[in-house]
Amino acid sequence: MTLREVFIGMELPPLVLPGITRKTLALFAGASGDHQPTHIDIDAAHAKGREDVIAHGMLMMAYLGRLLTDWVPQERIKSYQARFVAMTPVHAVPTCRGRVIAIVDGLATVELSISLADGTTVVRAEAVVDIREPAASRQAAPGAASVPAPSTPPLLIERQGSFAAGGTVLRHPGRYDSTRAGPKGQTLHGDHAFAVYQVPVGARKHPLVFVHGNGQFSKTWQTTPDGREGFQNIFLRRGFATYLVDSPRRGAAGRSTEPAILTPAPDDQFWFDTFRVGRWPDYFDGVQFPRGPEVLDQYFRQMTPNTGPFDLKVVSDAMAALFDQVGPAVLVSHSQGGGVGWFTAMKSAQVRGIVSYEPGSNFPFPEGEVPAPLASAAGPFAAVGVPREAFLQLTRIPIILFYGDFIPEAPTPHVGQDQWRVRLAMARRWVEAVNRHGGDASLVCLPDVGLHGNTHFPFSDLNNVAVADEMSKFLAAKGLDQ
Amino acid sequence: MTLREVFIGMELPPLVLPGITRKTLALFAGASGDHQPTHIDIDAAHAKGREDVIAHGMLMMAYLGRLLTDWVPQERIKSYQARFVAMTPVHAVPTCRGRVIAIVDGLATVELSISLADGTTVVRAEAVVDIREPAASRQAAPGAASVPAPSTPPLLIERQGSFAAGGTVLRHPGRYDSTRAGPKGQTLHGDHAFAVYQVPVGARKHPLVFVHGNGQFSKTWQTTPDGREGFQNIFLRRGFATYLVDSPRRGAAGRSTEPAILTPAPDDQFWFDTFRVGRWPDYFDGVQFPRGPEVLDQYFRQMTPNTGPFDLKVVSDAMAALFDQVGPAVLVSHSQGGGVGWFTAMKSAQVRGIVSYEPGSNFPFPEGEVPAPLASAAGPFAAVGVPREAFLQLTRIPIILFYGDFIPEAPTPHVGQDQWRVRLAMARRWVEAVNRHGGDASLVCLPDVGLHGNTHFPFSDLNNVAVADEMSKFLAAKGLDQ
């Protein structure tokens, strides 16, 4: 068994170092006892025909070692060999990088390098790292009993924050009077999306913008109900900037320009069934869902109401505004967020790819090609028609749809499960339509690739790291993880 | 002018290193060319009468240098002197620490040390760091024109996540049927608080739990309306774990067990006045609020509605449950969150101190000592009575209240401003009552300590770093920053 988070192609968080100054070199000379003039004496460098002093190779090695030891404990590094390919002049700004290029028998080979701001590579190295889980590792090195269990390494966040995007403004006529109450002359800003973002150090080019499903909010992508890391942390660790969105009229984006009546109607069991955890009160056999009353308590508390009517136009308008702020990015959607994603991509060319988990509504077909509604125990399920030109935008980006397990092939009277039979059937037709028009869409049922037992929330299920690996493969295949 | 984030007493983020193994030392020998047997040959160590090999001093120096250069660019380090006070044996787990002990003329003196897991200090050092802003720095070092402007260093997050705390469960009678819609036999989990937390590497002992005010949610403490860092990031950088709460029936904690009717009533201008940015459409002279339509747009979009009635009992119950999960911590409140904080502290002994920005409601007095309501243009303002024993809990923890500027001394017809006259007056009486009963409460009007122009949101105003410094002083004085 290997450490959950290591995969081929994985990049270590780059280590961007401050520029090397004369002071750095003088300090290092003092520290190491290496007082060679070539590092600290510009006259001596001139005498050697060099323009200026150069950095200690040991300093560079120490930097590269630091990249590795920031990632795994030193004792996991089984071998290490380095080659100095160029000298590092004073004032250089080195960046250390590493990439897993092979995994064999629990040993990962990591390709390492240091490059400078002008692109010169100055050191190349290769390390072999033991990525077996603690038990196996202890077995291999019996003396290491006191070694702390490998824990999740810290996250190195370059910047993080939050902002509202898009939205509209209601204006009440009249003149505002600061001595009286009432709406006269006042405004209300609402219908925006709200995003919390984190950018890791050395982030990849395309951020991931995560959009939740019905009844949910950004929590979908955070800590799982049993306290494991969700896609937010998993993909931060894989070097992606993450934007977690609350869509208009939900969660942190609660301010709506339309009224709403909120009624606390008990429906936890309905969601348990609809999210395919089981058939209440039973869990499906082999379901990848953690057990326990505490877990279920957290799971049910992930729900949050609409604070205004769900309006696909309002939501996708705000999402398009958000993408225009973020720039080129990949949209990762769940369930109702799937429909939001298709309509966002039709409005903003900044959507450069879509990964959609269990989309189940608002599949857009070119007008004239809309399939008939499909009957299910949850009622008829219809697709929507859009102008052909809008639809064609969806043929210009790579798209993948993932579905979990326990989706019945034949009709069943159980409402929660049966609706997914027709949603999946419609999804297949939609993927065919996109590809028929020259697009690049694919649909993966996770059991078909060996991942069994997933619910409607594969990204927070017990096997969510394996689920993330499937997403990583797609991003790599489509060049979206540069 | 000095770098905004450096203050006396400030601790650098500790650098916790992986244990030093024989492999570390062998690698370092190879890297540095220092092949002294004392580091790599246990037989040679034995011959010298030592139990085992010891680490290269240079390795330790490199570690300590790394603590500094993780914090500021190398070129800002003006001097550096170290003393080796003990040897570091193989297998030691070193931690590097630093603390700013003096700031004179833009030069900060930083006391540095390395200690091992058993408490032994092995290296002590002192560095002088130039903390002047870039322009001055460039002037002082004319050759450094190509030096990149000092930017905010990355955040090193040990772990981060989210969870729901407390809450209740509604149960509908009957038996759930998975083939039919309807509430029969179903539950609804609601009225919980929701927290997003981040724990920096080497966190201080007491986390900070941040509670928003009326109409607001956790956004209060995040990015400011003009994109600067709020208290979330500022105090993460100062080494505190942060918990950002959405209180029950607000934002991410939207699921309520009571119904609500949400009406989009335009009220932005009312909030502009109430939050003492100015008197709409005018800004107060010298107000520490950034200008521009974009800023105002973000500011207004920070509002979010209640998704159920505000109920102090429901909110403080959930907050107490949250504190019982977090453990001993400091509660940082804003406005309506102030009252939430007092009632939480009366319910949970885990509240070890309170910092309250502009509390303006639900001041609890011992029954029989409740002052008469105070009249204002916003209506009468009343305090609340609580059992004496409950009140006394508030005398057992240090408490500080901060208020901003533009609070009138004499009555005015302007509703937004006048309410703060009586809220502040009640706060003064409350602080007197706490201290009369043996407590440790203080009230600071920021203009009295030289901070002018603050609104109702001092923690996101333009001078929020100076505002944070006042909070840091309180935490240090009360031993809450250990």
Side-chain angles (χ1 to χ4, degrees), chain A residues 23-24 66 74 78 155 157 162 176 178 186-187 189 222-223 255 260 262 267-270 273 414, chain B residues 23-24 70 74 78 155 157 162 176 178 186-187 189 222-223 255 260 262 267-270 273 414:
Chain A
K23 178 83 68 171
T24 318
R66 191 175 139 192
Q74 180 72 37
K78 294 299 164 196
L155 291 161
I157 305 295
S162 65
Y176 174 67
S178 66
Q186 297 208 60
T187 58
H189 286 63
Q222 298 173 349
T223 307
R255 195 97 150 150
L262 309 189
D267 57 4
D268 290 336
Q269 285 65 25
F270 165 79
D273 284 5
H414 301 286
Chain B
K23 179 83 71 173
T24 319
D70 277 356
Q74 182 69 41
K78 292 301 163 195
L155 290 161
I157 305 295
S162 65
Y176 174 67
S178 67
Q186 297 210 59
T187 59
H189 286 62
Q222 298 173 349
T223 307
R255 194 95 150 152
L262 309 188
D267 57 5
D268 291 335
Q269 285 65 24
F270 165 80
D273 283 8
H414 301 286

Side-chain angles (χ1 to χ4, degrees), chain A residues 18-19 21 23-24 27-28 30-34 57-58 61-62 66 69-70 72-75 77-80 152-158 160-172 176 178-183 185-192 194 196-198 201 217 219 222-223 229 232-233 236-237 246 251-271 273 279-280 296-298 300-308 325 413-416, chain B residues 18-19 21 23-24 27-28 30-34 57-58 61-62 66 69-70 72-75 77-80 152-172 176 178-183 185-192 194 196-198 201 217 219 222-223 229 232-233 236-237 246 251-271 273 279-280 296-298 300-301 303-308 325 413-416:
Chain A
T21 63
K23 178 83 68 171
T24 318
L27 282 174
F28 223 88
S32 63
D34 175 355
M58 197 225 51
M61 289 283 291
R66 191 175 139 192
T69 55
D70 278 357
V72 289
Q74 180 72 37
E75 62 275 5
I77 302 170
K78 294 299 164 196
S79 74
Y80 185 69
T152 331
L155 291 161
L156 200 57
I157 305 295
E158 174 134 331
Q160 63 177 24
S162 65
F163 60 92
T168 53
V169 182
L170 273 189
R171 290 169 205 282
H172 199 280
Y176 174 67
S178 66
T179 67
R180 291 161 185 281
Q186 297 208 60
T187 58
L188 179 142
H189 286 63
D191 296 348
H192 45 271
F194 182 80
V196 168
Y197 67 88
Q198 293 186 291
V201 170
F217 62 109
K219 168 66 179 172
Q222 298 173 349
T223 307
E229 294 199 326
Q232 176 187 29
N233 286 11
L236 277 170
R237 294 187 187 287
D246 281 9
R255 195 97 150 150
S256 162
T257 63
E258 299 279 340
I261 296 174
L262 309 189
T263 322
D267 57 4
D268 290 336
Q269 285 65 25
F270 165 79
W271 292 118
D273 284 5
R279 198 172 295 156
W280 183 266
L296 221 43
D297 186 84
Q298 289 289 322
F300 288 146
R301 293 182 190 282
Q302 287 189 198
M303 303 298 294
T304 203
N306 285 329
T307 55
Q325 253 172 278
H414 301 286
V415 179
Chain B
T21 63
K23 179 83 71 173
T24 319
L27 282 173
F28 223 86
S32 63
D34 175 355
M58 195 223 56
M61 289 284 290
R66 189 175 139 193
T69 54
D70 277 356
V72 289
Q74 182 69 41
E75 62 274 9
I77 301 170
K78 292 301 163 195
S79 73
Y80 185 67
T152 330
L155 290 161
L156 200 57
I157 305 295
E158 174 131 335
R159 55 200 170 86
Q160 63 176 26
S162 65
F163 60 93
T168 53
V169 181
L170 272 188
R171 288 168 206 284
H172 199 281
Y176 174 67
S178 67
T179 66
R180 291 161 186 279
Q186 297 210 59
T187 59
L188 180 142
H189 286 62
D191 297 349
H192 45 270
F194 183 81
V196 168
Y197 67 88
Q198 292 185 292
V201 169
F217 62 108
K219 168 66 179 173
Q222 298 173 349
T223 307
E229 293 199 327
Q232 176 186 29
N233 286 12
L236 277 171
R237 294 188 186 286
D246 279 9
R255 194 95 150 152
S256 163
T257 64
E258 299 279 340
I261 296 173
L262 309 188
T263 323
D267 57 5
D268 291 335
Q269 285 65 24
F270 165 80
W271 292 118
D273 283 8
R279 197 172 294 156
W280 182 266
L296 221 43
D297 186 83
Q298 289 290 323
F300 288 145
R301 293 182 190 281
M303 302 300 292
T304 202
N306 285 328
T307 55
Q325 252 172 279
H414 301 286
V415 178

Side-chain angles (χ1 to χ4, degrees), chain A residues 1-3 76 103-108 128-133:
Chain A
M1 193 176 161
T2 55
L3 280 184
R76 287 186 169 271
I103 301 180
V104 179
D105 291 340
L107 296 174
V128 175
V129 176
D130 183 348
I131 56 166
R132 285 172 294 181
E133 291 287 3

Side-chain angles (χ1 to χ4, degrees), chain A residues 12-13 15 17 57-75 77 79-82 84 95-98 110 112-114 123-127 129, chain B residues 17-18 23-24 27-28 31 59 62-63 66:
Chain A
L12 276 56
L15 178 63
L17 296 149
M58 197 225 51
L59 173 63
M60 307 310 286
M61 289 283 291
Y63 284 154
L64 210 43
R66 191 175 139 192
L67 176 76
L68 277 176
T69 55
D70 278 357
W71 180 54
V72 289
Q74 180 72 37
E75 62 275 5
I77 302 170
S79 74
Y80 185 69
Q81 35 181 302
F84 293 95
T95 298
C96 304
R97 293 177 204 278
V110 187
L112 300 154
S113 67
I114 305 183
V123 182
R124 288 189 193 284
E126 208 173 274
V129 176
Chain B
L17 295 151
K23 179 83 71 173
T24 319
L27 282 173
F28 223 86
L59 173 62
Y63 283 155
R66 189 175 139 193

